Amino acid sequence: MTQQKTALVTGGNSGIGFATAALLKKHGYLVTISGRSEAALLEAAAQLGVDHAVAEMANPEHLERLAAGFPHGLDLLVNNAGIAQFMPMEAHTAAIIDHCFQVNVRGPMLLTQALLGSLEQRSGSVVNVSSIIVENGKPHASLYAATKGAVDAMVRSLALELAPRGIRVNAVSPGAIETPMVDKLGIPDELKPALIQEQSNAIPMKRFGQPREVAEVILALAKSSYVTGAIWKVDGGVNAC
Ligand SMILES: NC(=O)c1ccc[n+]([C@@H]2O[C@H](COP(=O)([O-])OP(=O)(O)OC[C@H]3O[C@@H](n4cnc5c(N)ncnc54)[C@H](OP(=O)(O)O)[C@@H]3O)[C@@H](O)[C@H]2O)c1
């Protein structure tokens, strides 16, 4: 009898994580979503018909506890949870910088570390969610871009380190995707339509991507048994500009 595949999607209650959990479930995975708000997780898990676990990415103890939930192995870890903090250089404080790195870089590293045994049991893989901002700079995005640049760098070295253990490590690098993240940037409602229009005009495909379109690439990476250390762009053609 073939074992049912297992997947953990961090930040699975919203946006790209939610769409990824839905797609993985459709493809037969036993999915667990994690996030920081129990209420949001409960609602999403009920909608999706998946398991859930509360875990704050900035809290190492939460990540240890989350990883302990996979004693029988894990086929896929999607390090998706992340925050985007856009601000002028003068607004950065040590606490803001530390928190952004804790959530976007340290959290995924510690969670991956805690799950190495579970991933090794199943010859599993890790897909990290990066951003094209690493290569396509934007004013006020230096902190966010620095964290995603760190993710890309981690992917390449970790893929080499873990290849002998049968664990693949990759990333998707989305461009502008229509998710609640846009609402979390603090942009006044009245300015949003013009900003979205302006950004869409700069994208060759002239539109934002949908979370499902990123989820499809995450699933493809999970299934691509000869791909490791790769960073696949999902950006409507921006990378070709
Ligand atoms: N949307 C884009 O255009 C875009 C482009 C490139 C890359 N990305 C990346 O895609 C990933 C998913 O973002 P999204 O656009 O889907 O945004 P989203 O809808 O805001 O989802 C982000 C998820 O991460 C969770 N999260 C945030 N901080 C957390 C923390 N400290 N601990 C645990 N969970 C936390 C959020 O929980 P709450 O619901 O509690 O906030 C939410 O579930 C992120 O890594 C982001 O950087 C997004």
Side-chain angles (χ1 to χ4, degrees):
M1 203 178 71
T2 50
Q3 230 173 4
Q4 186 175 17
K5 283 193 184 297
T6 51
L8 168 61
V9 183
T10 67
N13 62 279
S14 177
I16 293 168
F18 185 90
T20 302
L23 190 67
L24 291 170
K25 163 120 200 263
K26 196 171 148 200
H27 282 257
Y29 282 80
L30 188 62
V31 180
T32 302
I33 57 171
S34 71
R36 59 186 159 178
S37 151
E38 174 132 51
L41 274 174
L42 270 172
E43 196 184 324
Q47 251 179 291
L48 291 163
V50 302
D51 294 331
H52 73 280
V54 176
E56 158 62 59
M57 291 304 291
N59 186 326
E61 283 169 21
H62 285 200
L63 300 177
E64 281 287 340
R65 196 178 58 208
L66 179 61
F70 300 91
H72 304 300
L74 183 67
D75 291 281
L76 175 63
L77 166 62
V78 184
N79 277 322
N80 163 75
I83 43 171
Q85 294 196 294
F86 286 62
M87 61 186 70
M89 199 47 173
E90 291 84 350
H92 293 83
T93 62
I96 290 172
I97 296 170
D98 285 350
H99 184 66
C100 200
F101 269 90
Q102 282 173 14
V103 174
N104 290 0
V105 184
R106 191 184 75 177
M109 283 190 82
L110 289 177
L111 184 59
T112 304
Q113 179 196 58
L115 281 165
L116 283 180
S118 304
L119 289 162
E120 200 165 13
Q121 272 185 58
R122 302 257 184 135
S123 298
S125 80
V126 183
V127 179
N128 296 276
V129 182
S130 181
S131 168
I132 62 161
I133 205 135
V134 176
E135 283 155 17
N136 300 77
K138 284 208 184 325
H140 299 176
S142 56
L143 173 57
Y144 179 59
T147 65
K148 293 301 186 181
V151 168
D152 285 3
M154 174 188 74
V155 163
R156 294 191 189 94
S157 287
L158 200 54
L160 300 183
E161 183 176 334
L162 297 182
R165 294 170 69 175
I167 302 170
R168 295 180 299 110
V169 184
N170 294 297
V172 283
S173 194
I177 310 297
E178 201 179 321
T179 73
M181 185 169 264
V182 180
D183 298 321
K184 296 173 189 168
L185 294 175
I187 303 162
D189 280 348
E190 64 275 17
L191 297 183
K192 262 184 224 157
L195 198 79
I196 288 174
Q197 190 57 55
E198 187 191 313
Q199 283 201 24
S200 298
N201 288 341
I203 299 168
M205 290 181 71
K206 301 292 176 213
R207 65 171 178 87
F208 275 38
Q210 292 302 310
R212 181 186 45 77
E213 294 176 296
V214 181
E216 279 160 0
V217 180
I218 292 173
L219 177 64
L221 276 170
K223 287 165 116 180
S224 298
S225 52
Y226 198 51
V227 177
T228 196
I231 297 164
W232 285 1
K233 294 195 168 120
V234 192
D235 64 359
V238 172
N239 69 86
C241 294

Coordinates of all heavy atoms in Angstrom, one line a residue, residues 10-17 34-37 40 55-58 79-84 99 103-104 129-132 144 148 173-182 184 208, ligand 1:
T10 N 3.4 26.7 6.0 CA 3.3 27.7 7.0 C 2.6 28.9 6.4 O 2.6 29.1 5.1 CB 4.7 28.1 7.4 OG1 5.4 28.8 6.4 CG2 5.5 27.0 8.0
G11 N 1.9 29.7 7.2 CA 1.1 30.8 6.7 C 0.0 30.3 5.8 O -0.4 30.9 4.8
G12 N -0.6 29.1 6.1 CA -1.5 28.5 5.2 C -2.9 29.0 5.4 O -3.8 28.4 4.7
N13 N -3.2 30.0 6.2 CA -4.5 30.5 6.4 C -4.9 31.6 5.4 O -6.0 32.1 5.4 CB -4.8 31.0 7.8 CG -3.9 32.1 8.2 OD1 -2.7 31.9 8.5 ND2 -4.3 33.3 8.1
S14 N -3.9 32.0 4.6 CA -4.2 33.2 3.7 C -3.4 33.1 2.4 O -2.4 32.4 2.3 CB -3.7 34.4 4.6 OG -3.8 35.6 3.8
G15 N -3.9 33.8 1.4 CA -3.1 34.1 0.2 C -2.5 32.9 -0.5 O -3.1 31.9 -0.7
I16 N -1.2 32.9 -0.7 CA -0.5 31.9 -1.5 C -0.5 30.6 -0.7 O -0.6 29.5 -1.2 CB 1.0 32.3 -1.7 CG1 1.0 33.5 -2.7 CG2 1.8 31.2 -2.3 CD1 2.3 34.2 -2.9
G17 N -0.3 30.7 0.7 CA -0.3 29.5 1.5 C -1.7 28.8 1.5 O -1.7 27.5 1.4
S34 N -0.1 26.0 9.2 CA 0.3 26.7 10.4 C 0.2 28.2 10.2 O 0.2 28.7 9.1 CB 1.7 26.3 10.9 OG 2.7 26.9 10.0
G35 N 0.0 28.9 11.3 CA -0.1 30.3 11.3 C -0.1 30.8 12.7 O 0.1 30.1 13.7
R36 N -0.2 32.2 12.9 CA 0.0 32.7 14.2 C -1.4 32.9 14.9 O -1.4 33.1 16.1 CB 0.8 34.0 14.2 CG 0.1 35.1 13.3 CD 1.0 36.3 13.2 NE 0.6 37.0 12.0 CZ 1.2 38.2 11.7 NH1 2.2 38.7 12.4 NH2 0.8 38.8 10.6
S37 N -2.5 33.0 14.1 CA -3.8 33.2 14.7 C -4.6 32.0 14.7 O -5.0 31.5 13.7 CB -4.5 34.4 14.0 OG -5.9 34.3 14.0
A40 N -8.0 32.4 12.8 CA -7.8 32.4 11.3 C -7.5 31.0 10.8 O -8.0 30.6 9.8 CB -6.7 33.4 10.9
A55 N 1.6 28.3 15.2 CA 3.1 28.5 15.3 C 3.5 29.9 14.8 O 3.3 30.2 13.6 CB 3.8 27.4 14.5
E56 N 4.0 30.6 15.8 CA 4.6 32.0 15.4 C 6.0 31.8 14.9 O 6.8 31.1 15.5 CB 4.5 32.8 16.7 CG 5.5 34.0 16.8 CD 5.2 35.0 15.7 OE1 4.1 35.6 15.7 OE2 6.1 35.3 14.9
M57 N 6.2 32.2 13.7 CA 7.5 32.0 13.0 C 8.7 32.6 13.8 O 9.8 32.2 13.6 CB 7.5 32.5 11.6 CG 6.6 31.7 10.6 SD 6.9 30.0 10.5 CE 8.5 29.9 9.7
A58 N 8.4 33.6 14.6 CA 9.5 34.3 15.3 C 9.8 33.6 16.6 O 10.7 34.0 17.3 CB 9.2 35.8 15.6
N79 N 7.8 26.6 3.2 CA 8.1 27.8 4.0 C 7.5 29.0 3.4 O 8.2 29.7 2.6 CB 9.6 27.9 4.2 CG 10.2 27.0 5.2 OD1 9.6 26.8 6.3 ND2 11.4 26.4 5.0
N80 N 6.3 29.2 3.6 CA 5.5 30.3 2.9 C 5.3 31.5 3.8 O 5.3 32.7 3.3 CB 4.2 29.7 2.4 CG 3.2 30.8 2.1 OD1 3.3 31.5 1.0 ND2 2.3 31.1 3.0
A81 N 5.1 31.4 5.1 CA 4.7 32.5 6.0 C 5.8 33.6 5.8 O 7.0 33.3 5.8 CB 4.6 32.1 7.4
G82 N 5.3 34.8 5.7 CA 6.3 35.9 5.6 C 5.6 37.3 5.8 O 4.4 37.4 5.7
I83 N 6.4 38.3 6.1 CA 5.8 39.6 6.2 C 6.6 40.5 5.3 O 7.8 40.4 5.1 CB 5.9 40.2 7.7 CG1 7.3 39.9 8.3 CG2 4.8 39.7 8.5 CD1 7.5 40.6 9.6
A84 N 5.9 41.5 4.7 CA 6.5 42.5 3.8 C 6.5 43.8 4.6 O 5.4 44.3 4.9 CB 5.8 42.6 2.5
H99 N 12.8 41.6 13.7 CA 11.6 40.9 13.6 C 11.4 40.4 12.2 O 11.0 39.2 12.0 CB 10.4 41.7 14.1 CG 9.1 41.0 14.0 ND1 8.8 39.9 14.9 CD2 8.0 41.1 13.2 CE1 7.7 39.4 14.6 NE2 7.1 40.1 13.6
V103 N 11.1 36.4 11.2 CA 9.9 35.7 10.5 C 10.3 35.2 9.2 O 10.0 34.1 8.8 CB 8.8 36.8 10.4 CG1 7.6 36.2 9.6 CG2 8.3 37.2 11.8
N104 N 11.0 36.0 8.4 CA 11.3 35.6 7.0 C 12.5 34.7 6.8 O 12.6 34.0 5.8 CB 11.5 36.8 6.1 CG 10.2 37.6 6.0 OD1 9.1 37.3 6.5 ND2 10.2 38.7 5.2
V129 N 9.2 30.3 -0.1 CA 8.6 31.4 -0.9 C 9.4 32.6 -0.8 O 9.5 33.3 0.3 CB 7.1 31.6 -0.5 CG1 6.5 32.7 -1.4 CG2 6.3 30.3 -0.6
S130 N 10.1 33.0 -1.9 CA 11.0 34.1 -1.9 C 10.2 35.3 -2.6 O 9.0 35.4 -2.5 CB 12.3 33.8 -2.7 OG 13.1 34.9 -2.7
S131 N 10.9 36.1 -3.4 CA 10.3 37.2 -4.1 C 11.2 37.7 -5.2 O 12.4 37.8 -5.0 CB 9.9 38.4 -3.1 OG 9.6 39.5 -3.8
I132 N 10.6 38.2 -6.3 CA 11.5 38.8 -7.3 C 12.1 40.1 -6.9 O 12.9 40.7 -7.6 CB 10.7 39.0 -8.7 CG1 9.5 40.0 -8.5 CG2 10.3 37.7 -9.2 CD1 9.1 40.5 -9.9
Y144 N 12.8 44.1 3.3 CA 12.1 43.0 2.8 C 13.0 42.3 1.8 O 13.1 41.0 1.8 CB 10.7 43.4 2.2 CG 9.9 42.3 1.6 CD1 9.5 41.2 2.3 CD2 9.5 42.4 0.2 CE1 8.7 40.2 1.8 CE2 8.7 41.4 -0.3 CZ 8.3 40.3 0.4 OH 7.5 39.3 -0.1
K148 N 14.5 38.4 1.7 CA 14.3 37.4 0.6 C 15.6 37.0 -0.1 O 15.8 35.9 -0.6 CB 13.3 37.9 -0.4 CG 11.8 38.1 0.3 CD 11.3 36.8 0.8 CE 9.9 36.9 1.2 NZ 9.3 35.6 1.8
S173 N 9.7 32.3 -6.7 CA 10.0 33.7 -6.5 C 8.9 34.4 -7.2 O 8.9 34.7 -8.4 CB 11.4 34.0 -7.2 OG 11.8 35.2 -6.8
P174 N 7.8 34.8 -6.5 CA 6.7 35.4 -7.1 C 6.9 36.9 -7.4 O 7.7 37.6 -6.7 CB 5.5 35.3 -6.1 CG 6.0 34.3 -5.0 CD 7.5 34.4 -5.1
G175 N 6.2 37.4 -8.4 CA 6.1 38.8 -8.6 C 4.9 39.3 -7.9 O 4.7 38.9 -6.7
A176 N 4.2 40.2 -8.5 CA 3.0 40.8 -7.8 C 1.8 39.8 -7.8 O 1.3 39.5 -8.9 CB 2.6 42.1 -8.4
I177 N 1.4 39.4 -6.6 CA 0.3 38.4 -6.5 C -0.8 39.0 -5.7 O -0.5 39.7 -4.7 CB 0.8 37.1 -5.8 CG1 2.1 36.6 -6.5 CG2 -0.3 36.0 -5.9 CD1 2.0 36.2 -7.9
E178 N -2.0 38.8 -6.2 CA -3.2 39.4 -5.5 C -3.5 38.6 -4.2 O -4.2 37.6 -4.3 CB -4.4 39.4 -6.5 CG -5.4 40.4 -6.2 CD -6.5 40.3 -7.2 OE1 -6.3 40.2 -8.4 OE2 -7.7 40.4 -6.8
T179 N -3.0 39.1 -3.1 CA -3.3 38.4 -1.8 C -3.6 39.5 -0.8 O -3.3 40.7 -1.0 CB -2.1 37.6 -1.3 OG1 -1.0 38.5 -0.9 CG2 -1.5 36.7 -2.4
P180 N -4.0 39.1 0.4 CA -4.2 40.1 1.5 C -3.0 40.8 1.9 O -3.0 41.8 2.6 CB -4.8 39.2 2.6 CG -5.4 38.0 2.0 CD -4.5 37.7 0.8
M181 N -1.8 40.3 1.5 CA -0.5 41.0 1.9 C -0.6 42.5 1.4 O -0.1 43.4 2.1 CB 0.7 40.3 1.2 CG 2.0 40.9 1.7 SD 3.4 39.9 1.2 CE 3.7 38.9 2.7
V182 N -1.2 42.7 0.3 CA -1.3 44.1 -0.2 C -2.0 45.0 0.8 O -1.6 46.1 1.0 CB -2.0 44.1 -1.6 CG1 -2.1 45.5 -2.2 CG2 -1.3 43.2 -2.6
K184 N -2.0 44.6 3.9 CA -1.2 44.7 5.2 C -0.1 45.7 5.1 O 0.7 45.9 6.0 CB -0.6 43.3 5.6 CG -1.7 42.3 5.9 CD -1.2 40.9 6.1 CE -2.3 39.8 6.2 NZ -1.8 38.5 6.2
F208 N -1.8 41.3 -12.1 CA -1.3 40.6 -10.9 C -1.5 39.1 -11.1 O -2.4 38.7 -11.8 CB -1.9 41.1 -9.6 CG -1.4 42.3 -9.0 CD1 -0.9 43.4 -9.8 CD2 -1.2 42.4 -7.7 CE1 -0.4 44.5 -9.3 CE2 -0.7 43.6 -7.1 CZ -0.3 44.6 -7.9
Ligands
LIG1 N1 1.7 38.8 -2.5 C1 2.8 39.0 -3.2 O1 2.8 39.9 -4.1 C2 4.1 38.3 -2.9 C3 5.1 38.5 -3.8 C4 6.3 37.9 -3.6 C5 6.5 37.0 -2.5 N2 5.4 36.9 -1.6 C6 5.6 36.0 -0.4 O2 4.6 35.1 -0.4 C7 4.5 34.6 0.9 C8 3.0 34.5 1.3 O3 2.5 35.9 1.2 P1 1.0 36.2 0.8 O4 1.1 37.3 -0.3 O5 0.2 35.0 0.6 O6 0.5 37.1 2.0 P2 -0.6 36.9 3.2 O7 -1.9 36.6 2.5 O8 -0.4 38.0 4.1 O9 -0.1 35.5 3.9 C9 1.0 35.5 4.7 C10 0.9 34.4 5.7 O10 2.0 34.4 6.6 C11 1.5 34.4 8.0 N3 2.4 35.1 8.9 C12 2.9 36.3 8.8 N4 3.7 36.6 9.9 C13 3.7 35.4 10.6 C14 4.4 35.0 11.8 N5 5.1 35.9 12.5 N6 4.2 33.8 12.2 C15 3.4 32.9 11.6 N7 2.8 33.2 10.4 C16 2.9 34.4 10.0 C17 0.2 35.2 7.8 O11 -0.6 35.1 9.0 P3 -1.7 36.2 9.3 O12 -2.9 35.9 8.5 O13 -1.9 36.0 10.8 O14 -1.1 37.5 9.0 C18 -0.4 34.6 6.6 O15 -1.0 33.3 6.9 C19 5.3 35.5 1.8 O16 6.5 34.9 2.2 C20 5.5 36.7 0.9 O17 6.7 37.4 1.3 C21 4.2 37.5 -1.8

